[in-house]
Amino acid sequence: IPQLLVLTKDDKVDDHEERNFKADIIRKRINHKGPHIHYRTDSTHPNSRKSRKQVQRYIRNFVGAKDMEECQEMLDAAWSKRVQAEKKDDA
């Protein structure tokens, strides 16, 4: 079953690296290898609206998909782009 991990961003962590470090720990504990989104419930913050739109876009695309395999392909494509971008940043 395709999975998108949604993590709260209401943790009062200001440092992006620390948040990603904690997200990696959570992902390892639950053995999640796919994409994740940091979601903030405070809709007055611009990034909150951005993350909400991302989650809504995933849901719309999943609903329009013909089957679970297509949903998984969408997640894999989105995650591979992020992983490639991170590798370029580390180089």
Side-chain angles (χ1 to χ4, degrees):
I1 298 173
Q3 297 175 351
L4 173 65
L5 180 61
V6 180
L7 301 169
T8 182
K9 205 171 178 182
D10 297 325
D11 52 13
K12 309 295 186 230
V13 174
D14 293 326
D15 186 8
H16 180 71
E17 286 79 26
E18 183 179 356
R19 181 173 285 112
N20 281 338
F21 176 77
K22 289 182 179 186
D24 288 341
I25 290 172
I26 292 168
R27 292 175 69 240
K28 286 176 186 174
R29 283 185 185 165
I30 64 173
N31 196 27
H32 182 77
K33 294 178 176 53
H36 70 273
I37 291 178
H38 291 281
Y39 189 89
R40 185 182 236 159
T41 58
D42 177 13
S43 62
T44 61
H45 196 279
N47 283 339
S48 304
R49 295 187 294 273
K50 180 180 176 185
S51 63
R52 181 173 335 185
K53 287 179 184 178
Q54 284 179 316
V55 171
Q56 290 171 346
R57 186 172 35 248
Y58 272 114
I59 293 170
R60 280 194 307 271
N61 288 334
F62 294 158
V63 168
K66 63 181 177 182
D67 55 22
M68 285 193 311
E69 287 78 21
E70 188 175 348
C71 293
Q72 189 62 54
E73 289 171 8
M74 288 181 217
L75 290 170
D76 292 343
W79 192 244
S80 68
K81 289 176 189 175
R82 178 171 180 229
V83 169
Q84 290 171 359
E86 287 178 358
K87 286 181 182 178
K88 286 181 184 177
D89 290 343
D90 290 341

